[in-house]
Amino acid sequence: MTTENTISINGNGFSFKPGDTILDVARKHDIDIPTLCHLKGATPTGACRMCVVEVEGARTLLASCATPAAANMVVETESPKVVETRKMLLQLLLASGNHNCAISGSAGSDWTAFQLKVHKDDGSDELCPVWGDCHLQELAYRYQVSGEAFDSTEVSYPMETVNPFIVRDFSRCILCGRCVQACNDVQVNNAINFGYRGAPTKIVAAEDKPLKDSDCVFCGECVQACPVGALVEKDARYAVRPWETTKVRTTCTYCGVGCQVHLHIQGGKVVKVTGVEDLSPNFGSLCVKGRFGFDFIHSPERLKAPLIKKNGQFREATWDEALDLVADKLGSIKDAHGADSIGVLTSARVTNEENYIANKFTRAVLKTNNIDHCARL
Amino acid sequence: MTNTIGCIEKADVILVTGSNTTENHPVLSSYVKRAVKFRGTKVIVVDPRRIKMSRFADIYLRQNLGSDVAWLNGMMNVIIAEGLHDQNFVESRTEGFEELKKTVEKYTPEYVEEISGIPAEKLVEAARLYANAKAASILYCMGITQHSHGTDNVKSLANLAMLCGHMGIEGGGVNPLRGQNNVQGACDMGGLPNVYPAYQPVTDPAIAKKFEDAWGVTGLSTNLGLKVTDMIPKAHDGELKALYIIGENPLVSDPDLNHAEKSIKNLDFLVVQDIFMTETAELADVVLPAKCFAEKDGTFSNTERRVQRVRTAVEPPGDVWDDWKITCEIGTRMGLPMAYADSEAVFEELRTVTPSYAGITYDRIDQVGIPWPCLNVEHPGTPILHRDQFTRGKGLFHAIDYTPPKEQADDEFPLYLTTGRLLYQYHTGSMTMKTAGLNDRAPECIVEISPADAATYELEDGEKVEVASRRGNINATVQISTTAVTGTVFIPFHFAEAAANKLTNAALDPVSGIPEYKVCAVKLSKAA
């Protein structure tokens, strides 16, 4: 195939639109080119080089996320040279920090010593907090590599745990920059960026201050973007494991934007919230309330049974008792003072179905139009 | 919103007024910020506080509290005088232009400067920027509506958008940002004293007949009902005897709380249905426990009118019920059988009497919600309203004069107070205050004050201060901030123990019945 807008990937011809990158074309046709730093919706940086491909006639491997598709380009995504490069990149990354998944140690070197060192750094004897939910781990399995090919690098920055929401574990950061893009290009909160240069490079907030003393608003976009265990929700760290959770998609209960959320359920409880990617209105983004403000669901202060007040004190009642009392009282007030002596406040917090029923109840049962809600307040 | 959230990124100019978007609609604010960063979109912020969004703005205008009609008339004065309005749109799509033109004539930038404090040349600059845009979007929130003349403010925004033809197009529109997950839906579903679902007027006998037939009842009232802000005084006067409150906490959210509390205590019978023992529930005769959003099925309608699914994720904490089921059980006991298998059965009924929802089904919105109106099951929904014509046909300009807010600062109460929300708390706090981390970030009631005012009143950051108005007083912690503009302090209304609404003025907008939360006069003194 040699038409104007055709590219060959792994021997198959695909058409493309001007502006498409090699990665775009591949993804559109379910060809799986691995990426680490690539963040949908943000400008590709080509920083991690994981998405390199071999292009006929090119002197070096090219980052597919940053290389525009061109007419008659011939691309191989898993050639021996590509695979060899990816393996080396992964080995370097695995050796660069506390990546204590089962991958490390599989080459037969000192597994125990490494684990003990990481446990000491973590203050925990668990495996990595994102075990099973880590892009680096996935790729290490896919390419069958471990971290022993290179000497492990010293971890130079301590963990940051001084804010209530996010743990920043620099020992697991691979400096892919997804969090920086999530913060600067998606949420545009401009709170974090690359700091220092060369080997000491670190993702910093303000002048390397803790997040809580920076412009960070704890939206958690960076946590959702982090492909490894460097940024983890504080409460979910170690406590929430993907193989023990299920996800239910619903709509956020706070403001009127209506963000689509996944509630992560473990042991019958909501333990974590993430934004639903790729769909309007929020395309994965959330704010601090939507992502972290879910404790009220399982608060011990939730009302658990109907209550009736007697002599100024509440006592628990059965549903029948409470409902009979309400129906009886409203009925007798209606009879004595007329329907318009009763009002109903429905709620901007409950569903359409529930508002519809409140509207029907007020008008068809009470026979008044005295119904309103807090839209005005 | 007349347009969608996604549409915001297609605007060339965005006018943000009376909306602290980055704190109250953070995810939506990212659309504005991205437009600025990646598309070079120009932003005009008009707000009494130097809010974070002003950092992204090309023009920041600080208006005196309650002077919105004046500066909007001023912008229109400039636009008409310079011939920048969309004559085509005005001729073909609107009526009432001559009256508008006559009214705004006296609102010269210099005159407006006297009222609003906005420098004349900055107003001219903003007017030109907005008018010359190919598509300009207006985003507004409670800073526009919570005034004794809030309806006038909203109409003035609509005037401006129509004048420049920024209606019915991509990237344009007049876009109110809804502050609660389902305010839109509560209004759509007839949770209002004057309309049935889909805004069908209660005063129209034909509509009443339609609902009598649909519900199998007779004798539906064709009298206008009471607004919440009428119910409270009527309770105070003994005319309203009983209230059934579902998921609301008026004892923190109502204006002039001392008066509201007295009124509610005066009721013969109060039922509160909620997920927590709120300040309001404490006063109830019967409290009915309801499921929270994570425990129920249904739909919410977001600020862009998109009807989206809510799904059961976890079991409720005890023997608590769906709100609809509780209400149905009361209705059934009072003589009208109201039985539904599940929330979908309720939805199937409501869409038969709600024309704008008629084409929406749970199946259709399983993956992506549909913005109403959606008239039948083939209809794709309506992302942009008023494309070819307005609801009434031609768009009507309202010629409106500026009237000052009901309360002015004076010698005794020399500072202005405006109220609102913080990023880390939500409304009356009954949900957010259960998360330790959010309380860590926003632990207590603050009064945000400019460095100059702090110096005048000799206040230190972090010290307690008493804030008093004609109606009440509270203690709050001083937060000196350059967000505050000298002469005006800000207090969030989340905190029951220092409820800003003990201070606020219950003066109402005559049309909407919205209280003037955004303007009242206060004084500060060192807390005892």
Side-chain angles (χ1 to χ4, degrees):
Chain A
M1 290 172 72
T2 51
T3 51
E4 210 173 297
N5 279 341
T6 308
I7 177 174
S8 158
I9 303 179
N10 300 342
N12 295 310
F14 302 106
S15 63
F16 64 91
K17 289 200 300 285
D20 279 354
T21 62
I22 298 173
L23 181 67
D24 291 333
V25 182
R27 290 215 164 148
K28 215 171 285 169
H29 297 94
D30 294 327
I31 297 164
D32 185 10
I33 300 176
T35 59
L36 276 173
C37 70
H38 182 260
L39 184 67
K40 217 172 170 181
T43 324
T45 59
C48 76
R49 312 258 329 142
M50 192 54 58
C51 69
V52 288
V53 291
E54 193 165 351
V55 176
E56 210 175 83
R59 284 185 302 116
T60 56
L61 298 181
L62 300 177
S64 63
C65 70
T67 309
N72 304 320
M73 205 177 232
V74 177
V75 178
E76 286 293 331
T77 69
E78 295 283 335
S79 70
K81 208 169 146 193
V82 167
V83 170
E84 191 194 330
T85 302
R86 286 191 193 140
K87 282 190 165 183
M88 195 188 66
L89 288 169
L90 287 167
Q91 285 166 331
L92 281 166
L93 288 174
L94 288 166
S96 75
N98 288 349
H99 302 292
N100 65 330
C101 41
I103 293 303
S104 290
S106 54
S109 68
D110 199 346
W111 161 251
T112 313
F114 174 70
Q115 287 295 327
L116 288 174
K117 172 196 165 291
V118 176
H119 288 171
K120 195 162 155 264
D121 288 349
D122 282 352
S124 161
D125 56 6
E126 295 229 19
L127 285 174
C128 175
V130 295
W131 205 102
D133 187 21
C134 171
H135 217 54
L136 180 60
Q137 184 189 23
E138 252 169 59
L139 291 176
Y141 270 107
R142 173 164 161 183
Y143 290 100
Q144 291 294 301
V145 291
S146 66
E148 284 80 8
F150 297 95
D151 287 343
S152 67
T153 342
E154 274 302 299
V155 173
S156 31
Y157 298 106
M159 209 182 287
E160 180 189 318
T161 59
V162 289
N163 73 74
F165 303 115
I166 300 170
V167 172
R168 302 169 80 197
D169 180 354
F170 299 98
S171 76
R172 291 186 167 92
C173 175
I174 58 170
L175 296 171
C176 69
R178 276 170 68 96
C179 56
V180 172
Q181 288 201 309
C183 186
N184 291 272
D185 296 350
V186 180
Q187 290 263 359
V188 203
N189 287 324
N190 306 331
I192 54 171
N193 217 321
F194 285 94
Y196 312 109
R197 286 181 180 214
T201 300
K202 179 190 182 190
I203 307 297
V204 299
E207 287 128 11
D208 201 5
K209 288 184 186 149
L211 289 180
K212 71 179 176 63
D213 301 321
S214 75
D215 275 344
C216 175
V217 291
F218 298 99
C219 67
E221 189 86 18
C222 56
V223 178
Q224 190 159 333
C226 182
V228 292
L231 296 167
V232 181
E233 298 90 346
K234 196 174 203 173
D235 288 347
R237 209 162 179 269
Y238 298 121
V240 178
R241 296 296 195 175
W243 58 90
E244 291 170 347
T245 63
T246 53
K247 282 194 290 190
V248 175
R249 188 181 147 187
T250 190
T251 301
C252 179
T253 186
Y254 283 108
C255 81
V257 174
C259 290
Q260 295 300 293
V261 296
H262 278 128
L263 302 183
H264 298 243
I265 317 299
Q266 181 174 304
K269 294 200 162 170
V270 179
V271 289
K272 171 172 153 169
V273 177
T274 53
V276 179
E277 309 264 0
D278 299 330
L279 286 175
S280 73
N282 52 312
F283 297 91
S285 293
L286 292 176
C287 75
V288 63
K289 293 182 285 279
R291 192 181 298 276
F292 297 108
F294 57 83
D295 296 78
F296 75 91
I297 299 170
H298 305 293
S299 161
E301 292 172 45
R302 280 286 300 276
L303 294 169
K304 297 179 187 71
L307 302 171
I308 292 174
K309 198 181 267 169
K310 264 273 148 65
N311 304 322
Q313 293 293 315
F314 282 117
R315 64 162 176 85
E316 284 197 7
T318 64
W319 273 107
D320 270 334
E321 195 184 358
L323 293 168
D324 283 341
L325 177 63
V326 172
D328 183 53
K329 281 291 240 181
L330 292 180
S332 57
I333 289 172
K334 185 182 164 192
D335 290 342
H337 304 283
D340 290 339
S341 67
I342 305 174
V344 175
L345 293 184
T346 184
S347 176
R349 319 288 301 134
V350 305
T351 63
N352 287 323
E353 292 76 0
E354 291 163 337
N355 276 294
Y356 171 78
I357 290 295
N359 138 82
K360 182 174 176 178
F361 169 80
T362 308
R363 305 189 203 280
V365 178
L366 298 179
K367 301 279 170 67
T368 176
N369 288 315
N370 290 346
I371 179 168
D372 202 0
H373 68 282
C374 71
R376 295 165 217 276
L377 306 177
Chain B
M1 289 170 71
T2 59
N3 292 53
T4 61
I5 294 169
C7 226
I8 295 169
E9 258 176 306
K10 298 186 175 130
D12 303 300
V13 170
I14 304 171
L15 167 61
V16 182
T17 184
S19 156
N20 185 7
T21 330
T22 60
E23 299 210 36
N24 293 325
H25 299 90
V27 172
L28 189 142
S29 80
S30 67
Y31 282 79
V32 181
K33 295 186 285 183
R34 282 197 301 268
V36 171
K37 182 164 181 175
F38 296 108
R39 292 191 66 247
T41 298
K42 308 279 187 206
V43 170
I44 306 166
V45 169
V46 187
D47 202 278
R49 297 167 68 212
R50 215 172 282 108
I51 52 173
K52 194 183 261 182
M53 191 56 88
S54 68
R55 296 191 208 165
F56 293 84
D58 288 81
I59 303 177
Y60 167 63
L61 305 179
R62 197 277 170 179
Q63 84 278 43
N64 291 334
L65 294 186
S67 66
D68 303 284
V69 168
W71 67 261
L72 283 162
N73 278 350
M75 275 180 70
M76 290 187 273
N77 172 292
V78 173
I79 289 165
I80 294 171
E82 298 189 2
L84 303 177
H85 56 292
D86 185 336
Q87 290 177 11
N88 234 339
F89 190 93
V90 168
E91 263 164 48
S92 60
R93 297 281 313 269
T94 70
E95 53 197 36
F97 174 69
E98 287 307 319
E99 291 84 340
L100 177 80
K101 189 177 166 187
K102 221 175 121 210
T103 301
V104 303
E105 228 156 52
K106 73 166 182 273
Y107 291 87
T108 60
E110 294 70 27
Y111 176 56
V112 170
E113 180 170 347
E114 282 171 37
I115 302 170
S116 69
I118 295 171
E121 71 281 3
K122 295 293 263 182
L123 189 77
V124 173
E125 206 186 316
R128 289 178 185 156
L129 184 61
Y130 178 83
N132 287 328
K134 238 189 285 166
S137 175
I138 297 175
L139 304 181
Y140 74 91
C141 197
M142 296 308 216
I144 281 295
T145 53
Q146 289 178 339
H147 291 274
S148 56
H149 47 262
T151 308
D152 287 350
N153 291 346
V154 173
K155 285 178 177 166
S156 300
L157 288 173
N159 284 344
L160 178 65
M162 290 197 297
L163 185 66
C164 300
H166 294 319
M167 287 291 269
I169 55 169
E170 272 213 337
V174 177
N175 298 300
L177 308 183
R178 302 292 200 161
Q180 309 225 18
N181 57 328
N182 203 29
V183 181
Q184 184 66 56
C187 295
D188 297 346
M189 289 300 113
L192 293 170
N194 57 335
V195 287
Y196 286 100
Y199 307 95
Q200 304 172 79
V202 295
T203 48
D204 181 344
I207 299 290
K209 177 76 175 55
K210 174 178 146 182
F211 278 91
E212 286 176 354
D213 293 346
W215 292 340
V217 296
T218 54
L220 293 186
S221 168
T222 51
N223 299 327
L224 287 177
L226 297 174
K227 298 176 187 123
V228 52
T229 40
D230 298 328
M231 288 185 201
I232 301 303
K234 294 254 183 201
H236 187 262
D237 300 344
E239 282 179 57
L240 195 80
K241 302 287 184 193
L243 253 182
Y244 172 23
I245 300 179
I246 301 169
E248 302 253 316
N249 191 10
L251 273 191
V252 180
S253 63
D254 271 18
D256 193 357
L257 278 181
N258 293 332
H259 178 264
E261 183 172 346
K262 256 186 253 162
S263 307
I264 287 180
K265 282 182 171 162
N266 196 38
L267 290 165
D268 288 354
F269 189 59
L270 175 65
V271 188
V272 173
Q273 183 168 308
D274 212 306
I275 62 173
F276 287 112
M277 181 58 77
T278 61
E279 290 76 8
T280 309
E282 292 281 1
L283 298 184
D285 297 289
V286 180
V287 177
L288 303 172
K291 290 184 186 175
C292 81
F293 87 112
E295 294 145 6
K296 54 168 80 158
D297 277 299
T299 55
F300 291 154
S301 299
N302 78 349
T303 189
E304 54 178 353
R305 295 167 282 108
R306 192 183 298 280
V307 184
Q308 307 193 106
R309 276 301 313 275
V310 175
R311 295 183 181 85
T312 302
V314 290
E315 290 295 317
D319 189 13
V320 312
W321 292 4
D322 284 292
D323 287 280
W324 63 262
K325 188 181 161 194
I326 303 171
T327 311
C328 284
E329 286 286 338
I330 301 169
T332 303
R333 282 168 163 79
M334 292 182 73
L336 180 69
M338 294 171 78
Y340 300 87
D342 49 27
S343 70
E344 190 172 7
V346 179
F347 193 87
E348 284 300 309
E349 177 179 309
L350 76 85
R351 71 187 191 91
T352 64
V353 291
T354 311
S356 52
Y357 280 60
I360 300 173
T361 65
Y362 276 23
D363 271 352
R364 284 192 76 193
I365 58 169
D366 186 53
Q367 283 305 305
V368 184
I370 296 176
W372 64 259
C374 176
L375 304 178
N376 57 59
V377 289
E378 276 83 42
H379 193 286
T382 311
I384 300 177
L385 292 178
H386 318 309
R387 261 193 193 276
D388 302 312
Q389 59 170 2
F390 291 96
T391 317
R392 68 184 289 277
K394 288 207 168 183
L396 181 64
F397 284 113
H398 293 269
I400 295 165
D401 262 310
Y402 161 76
T403 45
K406 287 287 183 274
E407 192 168 82
Q408 307 288 331
D410 55 21
D411 288 346
E412 197 189 349
F413 296 95
L415 288 168
Y416 280 104
L417 165 69
T418 193
T419 65
R421 292 181 184 163
L422 301 174
L423 172 65
Y424 295 103
Q425 296 291 355
Y426 182 78
H427 224 64
T428 69
S430 58
M431 288 157 56
T432 44
M433 287 177 193
K434 304 296 187 293
T435 292
L438 295 172
N439 291 337
D440 178 79
R441 299 299 293 169
E444 58 178 352
C445 190
I446 53 109
V447 51
E448 177 193 273
I449 181 170
S450 77
D453 281 338
T456 306
Y457 295 97
E458 296 175 344
L459 295 170
E460 302 277 335
D461 203 52
E463 82 172 279
K464 283 275 182 197
V465 67
E466 185 187 286
V467 189
S469 77
R470 289 188 173 80
R471 291 154 295 275
N473 60 287
I474 62 170
N475 284 352
T477 301
V478 171
Q479 187 172 91
I480 299 173
S481 164
T482 51
T483 302
V485 172
T486 301
T488 301
V489 299
F490 165 82
I491 300 179
F493 68 87
H494 308 296
F495 302 91
E497 66 282 5
N501 284 326
K502 286 190 174 158
L503 309 173
T504 50
N505 190 357
L508 302 183
D509 179 276
V511 182
S512 69
I514 294 182
E516 192 146 68
Y517 287 126
K518 299 303 186 201
V519 196
C520 75
V522 295
K523 64 180 172 187
L524 302 182
S525 51
K526 300 238 177 203

